[in-house]
Amino acid sequence: MIIDPAMLSSTFPHGRFIHYWAKASLFANPIAKAILVDAGNIPVNRRSKDNQSMFKGTFDALAGDEVVALFPEGTSYTEPRIMQVKDGASWAALEYTKWATSEEGKRKNAQPLRLIPAGLVYTNKSKYRSSAIMEYGKPIPLDSLAAEFNSGDPDVAKRAVKKLTKTIEATMIRLTVNANDWDSLYAGRMARQLLWEDERTLNLDEFVPVSQILIDLFNYQNNLKSYKGLKEALLKYYALLKASKLTNDAICTLPLPRALDPNRPTPLPSRLSTLGFLLLSTLGCVGPLPFFVLPLLINAPVYIMSRYGANLAFDEEESQAQNKVVFGVLLTAIVYGAVFWALWAFFWMTPLGGVLAASSVWLLFNYYLRTIDDFYTRAKRLFAAWRVLVGVWGPKGWDLSPADLKQYTIPEIPKANPWVERPITPTPPADAAAKNTTAPASTAPESTTEKAKKRVKKPASRSLVRHVLRARIEASRALEAFLQELEVASPRVRVSAHLGREEGTLEEGYVSGLSSETGDYLDVGSAVGSKSASTPGTPVTPGTPVPEKRAYLEGREIIKFLRDRGAKIAHQAGTGDWAAALSSDEGQSPQ
């Protein structure tokens, strides 16, 4: 995955150069070796039995106070949570502490090691020009673990590695968004989009905790009366949006008259008024679009090929994003290079003409970057307006029947990555996790032919519009009722360990390794190496469930947390406006 290293390198503090691991076999070719070394890659021979030899390049870089970045998960994958954290990073860190005290390390004046965890979260990795959040955690202390690792006992050294891996995993969970299953992830995501209709109003610094606390509402069982049916309503709306190629924020931007009340008859003039509002919205979108025609035409090949690249991996979000970047960057270089040569030829290939051509390309590209977001929003709103208009005004026969609609009301889940191992920390117990309504994904690899056969063609959006708008009303009302009851009843709600207060009885679950109040690292040695927190020292097999206190927040605390960050909890805007457009016949009240 090339996006993660690119994001890390571009955001690392003070612009420091970052080294990455690469397979030693890639350095066999002299040309490839020159490119890789120039890019800062370090050869790692994974077949080596000697860790000191395998990590030699890493040690040399760290000894010179340089930065080495590792991705401890071992591979890129599309899953609702961190599924695996391998021991490679822990071995490298602790082996360095051992090497630093050796004669060679002292001779090279090896610098102390600082192990800094980082979390990278994308608001929507497969979406064009979406945002990313890069957060760095506190340095992980290594002194006690290094002493254990260098004790000379191989078993003690291995346990020290496992302890460090547990701490790394706990920190990564704290810095990222994690769900027990795909349903909880999708339901929490849909709830966030309904509470922040314009997601740009949600501060990116708050994106991770807000997303996590909403997902936690669905990660664990909830006994509130209004909770029943909420998850299904959110998932239905989420799935229909995907199938219809509409987005909640685009629907929210479409103005409709407040006079359209879902509880009273909707005569023809009101429907015409609705048409007038949509036409005005269309004019507002189309008016400025001519100023973007030239950049659009120039970048059209980039859009087309990026879309083509994404379609090559339609069921793998990680690969979609990577293909979009690769195809987009290559086509951008080709297209703007061609524009430069065309302009230079127009200026008779003179030196002055070259300067003018280069200046023109630079101005054109910067104009595109400054205006693309606004025009993209306008275009998305325009398409949404007409899809809704055609769907609402079209014949009733266009609507899918309930039997045909059912397959589009269940969110699609990505295929499980066959290379991902079981997580080091176990999945929460079944009785503590919310029920997953999606079918489990098979772990067996699929051929391209099998994937193509399973790819279901999406229906025309006009046949889903009425269903989408009804689903939005149901989801908004269900969410509003649940949040109101959550505030009034204010029950204790279980949340992720780093978001709430730890209390109650011990359970088999995650090892946080972090203080939920201060965020400081705890001594996780007793938890990792014992059957219970009260009986330290009793060894267990790595990966065995270990006890942890549950974390809770009061319902009112959650509501206040969300409101303080801009959530529209008192009223889900738009539920009444659209209901009138869904009446089966003119002059009848919608059901």
Side-chain angles (χ1 to χ4, degrees):
M1 188 65 189
I2 64 172
I3 297 181
D4 293 353
M7 287 295 304
L8 184 59
S9 295
S10 62
T11 61
F12 196 76
H14 310 298
R16 296 185 66 184
F17 187 78
I18 299 181
H19 299 273
Y20 296 95
W21 280 358
K23 292 182 180 179
S25 58
L26 297 176
F27 291 77
N29 184 289
I31 298 177
K33 178 180 179 179
I35 296 174
L36 290 170
V37 171
D38 186 66
N41 292 281
I42 297 174
V44 176
N45 184 5
R46 298 181 181 180
R47 296 182 180 180
S48 175
K49 301 294 184 180
D50 180 11
N51 285 342
Q52 292 286 319
S53 174
M54 180 170 62
F55 298 134
K56 184 179 184 308
T58 304
F59 296 165
D60 290 340
L62 293 174
D65 200 26
E66 298 185 37
V67 180
V68 178
L70 310 179
F71 293 91
E73 294 173 87
T75 184
S76 61
Y77 54 83
T78 302
E79 294 290 345
R81 66 180 295 266
I82 291 176
M83 297 297 292
Q84 65 180 20
V85 176
K86 297 190 174 184
D87 295 330
S90 299
W91 278 109
L94 293 176
E95 287 283 6
Y96 176 80
T97 64
K98 181 178 181 180
W99 176 85
T101 59
S102 67
E103 290 299 325
E104 183 182 2
K106 292 177 180 178
R107 186 171 64 253
K108 292 186 177 182
N109 192 26
Q111 299 299 308
L113 176 66
R114 287 174 294 172
L115 185 59
I116 302 175
L120 177 57
V121 176
Y122 298 90
T123 57
N124 188 345
K125 182 174 284 190
S126 61
K127 180 184 176 183
Y128 179 62
R129 292 183 68 80
S130 57
S131 300
I133 300 101
M134 173 65 76
E135 185 175 357
Y136 297 93
K138 298 180 179 180
I140 298 176
L142 296 174
D143 292 343
S144 61
L145 292 175
E148 292 182 36
F149 184 81
N150 299 321
S151 64
D153 187 333
D155 292 333
V156 173
K158 289 180 180 179
R159 283 201 293 271
V161 169
K162 292 296 180 183
K163 292 175 186 178
L164 181 54
T165 300
K166 292 280 188 181
T167 303
I168 292 173
E169 181 185 22
T171 314
M172 291 174 62
I173 289 175
R174 184 187 184 93
L175 297 174
T176 55
V177 178
N178 296 270
N180 291 346
D181 51 64
W182 284 107
D183 281 0
S184 298
L185 178 69
Y186 291 151
R189 184 182 295 175
M190 195 70 258
R192 188 189 70 242
Q193 292 177 15
L194 289 170
L195 293 173
W196 283 269
E197 292 178 348
D198 183 357
E199 289 203 328
R200 291 173 297 183
T201 61
L202 175 58
N203 192 321
L204 287 180
D205 291 336
E206 304 289 351
F207 182 88
V208 171
V210 164
S211 298
Q212 188 62 64
I213 208 163
L214 288 172
I215 289 172
D216 285 341
L217 294 176
F218 304 100
N219 266 341
Y220 308 105
Q221 292 287 2
N222 195 300
N223 295 323
L224 291 180
K225 182 179 179 181
S226 57
Y227 182 79
K228 185 178 181 181
L230 169 62
K231 193 171 186 179
E232 289 75 11
L234 292 171
L235 291 174
K236 179 180 179 181
Y237 181 41
Y238 180 88
L240 287 173
L241 284 174
K242 292 292 184 182
S244 63
K245 298 180 181 178
L246 290 168
T247 60
N248 182 69
D249 58 341
I251 292 176
C252 293
T253 61
L254 302 181
L256 285 177
R258 289 288 176 182
L260 295 182
D261 187 343
N263 299 315
R264 67 181 185 182
T266 308
L268 184 60
S270 294
R271 301 296 286 276
L272 290 177
S273 176
T274 302
L275 174 62
F277 271 85
L278 289 177
L279 289 176
L280 288 175
S281 178
T282 299
L283 292 175
C285 294
V286 172
L289 287 181
F291 296 98
F292 192 64
V293 170
L294 181 59
L296 178 63
L297 292 176
I298 292 175
N299 289 277
V302 179
Y303 300 143
I304 295 171
M305 292 305 297
S306 296
R307 182 70 176 270
Y308 171 76
N311 287 338
L312 294 178
F314 64 89
D315 60 342
E316 300 172 359
E317 186 180 46
E318 298 286 328
S319 298
Q320 278 187 19
Q322 176 175 272
N323 290 356
K324 281 185 176 181
V325 169
V326 172
F327 280 72
V329 169
L330 289 177
L331 264 295
T332 297
I334 293 172
V335 167
Y336 279 90
V339 171
F340 168 76
W341 284 101
L343 289 175
W344 196 14
F346 179 78
F347 292 125
W348 302 97
M349 292 288 186
T350 61
L352 179 60
V355 173
L356 291 175
S359 300
S360 299
V361 169
W362 183 84
L363 290 172
L364 181 63
F365 186 69
N366 277 272
Y367 174 76
Y368 163 76
L369 291 179
R370 290 178 178 273
T371 58
I372 180 59
D373 287 331
D374 179 60
F375 284 111
Y376 177 66
T377 301
R378 290 175 182 273
K380 185 170 63 173
R381 180 180 175 185
L382 174 62
F383 287 123
W386 281 95
R387 279 177 178 168
V388 169
L389 181 62
V390 172
V392 169
W393 277 75
K396 188 178 179 181
W398 283 358
D399 290 356
L400 290 180
S401 65
D404 293 333
L405 179 69
K406 187 175 181 181
Q407 61 181 317
Y408 303 112
T409 61
I410 301 175
E412 296 180 3
I413 59 174
K415 184 173 178 61
N417 189 324
W419 306 107
V420 174
E421 300 173 359
R422 293 182 61 186
I424 291 176
T425 51
T427 302
D431 60 347
K435 184 179 178 182
N436 184 7
T437 60
T438 54
S442 171
T443 58
E446 274 188 319
S447 66
T448 304
T449 304
E450 290 173 332
K451 289 182 179 181
K453 288 180 180 179
K454 288 189 176 183
R455 188 174 185 181
V456 180
K457 184 178 180 181
K458 301 294 184 183
S461 59
R462 64 175 181 270
S463 63
L464 292 174
V465 166
R466 286 191 179 92
H467 299 295
V468 169
L469 300 182
R470 288 193 184 96
R472 181 171 186 267
I473 294 172
E474 294 168 2
S476 296
R477 288 175 175 170
L479 180 61
E480 182 179 1
F482 171 71
L483 294 177
Q484 287 178 352
E485 185 177 2
L486 186 65
E487 183 175 26
V488 173
S490 194
R492 286 197 322 158
V493 179
R494 186 180 173 188
V495 296
S496 297
H498 60 278
L499 293 177
R501 293 181 297 277
E502 293 183 355
E503 55 184 77
T505 59
L506 295 176
E507 65 149 344
E508 298 295 316
Y510 296 114
V511 178
S512 71
L514 297 163
S515 168
S516 60
E517 295 182 359
T518 66
D520 293 331
Y521 294 95
L522 304 176
D523 181 5
V524 299
S526 61
V528 174
S530 65
K531 291 184 179 179
S532 70
S534 59
T535 57
T538 307
V540 295
T541 303
T544 301
V546 292
E548 180 207 24
K549 288 186 177 182
R550 298 184 181 185
Y552 294 89
L553 286 176
E554 300 292 333
R556 291 190 184 92
E557 291 179 298
I558 294 176
I559 296 299
K560 183 179 186 302
F561 174 84
L562 297 174
R563 276 207 184 105
D564 289 347
R565 286 149 183 82
K568 295 182 179 180
I569 292 178
H571 172 65
Q572 296 301 308
T575 59
D577 298 344
W578 285 111
L582 304 180
S583 57
S584 299
D585 301 297
E586 298 295 346
Q588 294 185 2
S589 299
Q591 300 299 319

